[in-house]
Amino acid sequence: MTDLADIADIGADARRGGFSRHGYDRAELELREWFTAEARARGLDVECDRNGNLWAWWGPPGDGAVVTGSHLDSVPGGGAFDGPLGVVSALAAVDLLRGKGFRPGKPFAVVVFAEEEGGRFGVACLGSRLLAGAIAPDAALRLSDVDGVTLADAMRSAGLDPTRVGADAEALRRIGTFVELHVEQGRGLVDLGAPVGVARSILAHGRWRISVSGEGNHAGATLMVDRRDPMVAAAQVVLAARRSAAAVDGARATVGRLIPNPGGTNVIPSSVDLWLDARADDDTRTRAVVAEITALAEAAAAEEGCTVTVTEESYGDTVIFDPTLRDSLSEALGGVPALPTGAGHDAGILAAHVPTAMLFVRNPTGISHAPAEFAEPTDCAEGVTALARTLETLAR
Ligand code: HGY
Ligand code: MN
Ligand code: MN
């Protein structure tokens, strides 16, 4: 809790509330410095890999390491726990283990993945996706933020060499087991009355950019019959997302971001960009929801004399965490519950490559990606104890 308090003024967003800390922006660079200092204070050796992920090694780096950690970046106006709780708990678990004289019997690292939320460059889990070879380097380097700054530019400004990004077989080989602790983003543990749980699965989920083009014009001088207003079509896409997802059991669809161009109060936009976040239990249902929303978007655009393009920006199929590892963690912790989650994580990317597990800490509000996100100090302490026990067992 002290560590979380330490960083509480970094990236605090007075306008939105909560925190805005995005890949390589000033706040996130400050958090990288904070993490590096905290890790070094614990005798860990910190290195930044070619994809911008930070690795704090307890002892010499090597293959088959026990790795724990999470991310420090946030969504715009995000909560204090999503990401940082996993990083802070990893450091606290190291404190607990060092305090009892434990020394890892194998390589051991605390990792901080870059741009997990995709809050600046639009692709979720960018650092772990690059490491795992799940996104092409040139496609990643071309990603740009709202000001047109590319990932390559941002990495260069942060002192990294963007030409080195890409699949990192050595980094993957070094991961023997990855365990990510994360605040629960939902009410599963609250409803079960349990402070800690393990992850069972992650929904299939992706992001699509929907661009509607019409005719920019004057809000006052243009008769209603003479309009080709992309905002009207965009509004129907938002409603279609709600209808289409509600019709498929367990599916979710969200439009949280919509940017009209040019965005004047007295201006009919010439185009509107909106982003769809769609998720469901499996690939088939997710794709079906997106297909229906796409068809409705095309019909709405046509009706309004507009055109529409739908571009997939990131996608990940359902993740089922390794049941053996999951159950052994759960048993070692006295039989904690195993929960599905609708939230994506770096652990979800790594699960396709190395044995991976997640620990969840109860969130009394169940709310996440908003300032109301919360975890009680006592539950956070339970999380640290559970993580330390897990890491000790794995690193004995
Ligand atoms: O969007 C997600 O599910 C995660 O928080 N990146
Ligand atoms: Mn998140
Ligand atoms: Mn997260």
Side-chain angles (χ1 to χ4, degrees):
M1 301 319 278
T2 313
D3 281 350
L4 286 174
D6 274 355
I7 60 174
D9 59 355
I10 301 177
D13 191 325
R15 186 165 66 84
R16 294 186 178 101
F19 299 91
S20 295
R21 303 154 164 172
H22 309 308
Y24 308 106
D25 72 6
R26 196 180 46 71
E28 201 254 3
L29 293 177
E30 219 179 306
L31 287 170
R32 284 169 178 263
E33 285 165 23
W34 170 83
F35 171 75
T36 301
E38 286 296 315
R40 286 189 177 141
R42 292 167 169 83
L44 308 181
D45 299 318
V46 184
E47 62 185 27
C48 186
D49 70 16
R50 69 175 69 156
N51 294 305
N53 306 305
L54 291 176
W55 297 80
W57 290 94
W58 184 2
D63 292 356
V66 172
V67 181
T68 185
S70 189
H71 61 94
L72 290 172
D73 68 296
S74 72
V75 294
F81 296 84
D82 176 354
L85 183 65
V87 175
V88 164
S89 299
L91 293 171
V94 168
D95 290 341
L96 268 185
L97 294 173
R98 288 177 69 210
K100 59 187 283 191
F102 176 81
R103 290 294 175 273
K106 55 180 75 166
F108 185 112
V110 176
V111 66
V112 176
F113 287 108
E115 183 71 346
E116 188 277 341
E117 298 290 1
R120 181 173 180 189
F121 297 105
V123 171
C125 300
L126 188 55
S128 53
R129 272 199 160 98
L130 278 166
L131 182 150
I135 182 171
D138 52 342
L141 291 175
R142 279 198 305 272
L143 293 171
S144 62
D145 67 10
V146 286
D147 301 321
V149 177
T150 63
L151 173 67
D153 302 334
M155 288 184 79
R156 244 189 302 275
S157 326
L160 295 170
D161 173 4
T163 61
R164 298 185 61 234
V165 301
D168 190 338
E170 183 193 19
L172 267 184
R173 203 178 47 245
R174 282 178 167 181
I175 306 174
T177 310
F178 176 57
V179 181
E180 177 171 4
L181 181 145
H182 205 284
V183 64
E184 191 196 349
Q185 296 160 301
R187 296 183 46 83
L189 290 173
V190 173
D191 296 343
L192 290 167
V196 169
V198 292
R200 178 184 296 281
S201 59
I202 296 178
L203 289 180
H205 68 283
R207 302 177 181 190
W208 288 263
R209 174 182 182 146
I210 301 176
S211 298
V212 190
S213 295
E215 182 177 63
N217 210 329
H218 194 295
T222 315
L223 296 178
M224 295 313 281
V225 291
D226 294 338
R227 295 178 180 218
R228 294 193 289 118
D229 183 347
M231 186 63 90
V232 172
Q236 293 178 61
V237 175
V238 175
L239 296 173
R242 164 61 69 93
R243 267 199 315 274
S244 303
V248 173
D249 182 34
R252 298 115 204 245
T254 312
V255 175
R257 185 167 168 237
L258 182 148
I259 303 176
N261 172 37
T265 302
N266 56 351
V267 176
I268 300 170
S270 54
S271 65
V272 174
D273 285 330
L274 56 140
W275 282 265
L276 171 68
D277 176 313
R279 313 188 187 205
D281 287 330
D282 56 40
D283 182 66
T284 309
R285 275 179 273 194
T286 306
R287 298 278 182 198
V289 167
V290 174
E292 185 175 55
I293 294 168
T294 301
L296 291 168
E298 284 162 353
E303 196 186 323
E304 187 61 27
C306 294
T307 57
V308 63
T309 58
V310 179
T311 314
E312 181 174 298
E313 291 198 331
S314 72
Y315 185 77
D317 200 345
T318 311
V319 172
I320 306 293
F321 286 106
D322 177 331
T324 312
L325 179 59
R326 178 198 73 206
D327 291 343
S328 67
L329 252 60
S330 171
E331 274 148 41
L333 298 174
V336 299
L339 302 165
T341 180
H345 300 281
D346 294 305
I349 301 296
L350 294 182
H353 303 272
V354 295
T356 301
M358 288 192 76
L359 290 177
F360 289 136
V361 172
R362 176 166 49 193
N363 170 347
T365 68
I367 291 173
S368 183
H369 284 188
E373 182 182 84
F374 185 67
E376 295 288 354
T378 46
D379 287 346
C380 293
E382 292 267 1
V384 170
T385 306
L387 182 62
R389 190 173 307 156
T390 300
L391 298 171
E392 182 177 12
T393 308
L394 291 169
R396 198 183 293 288

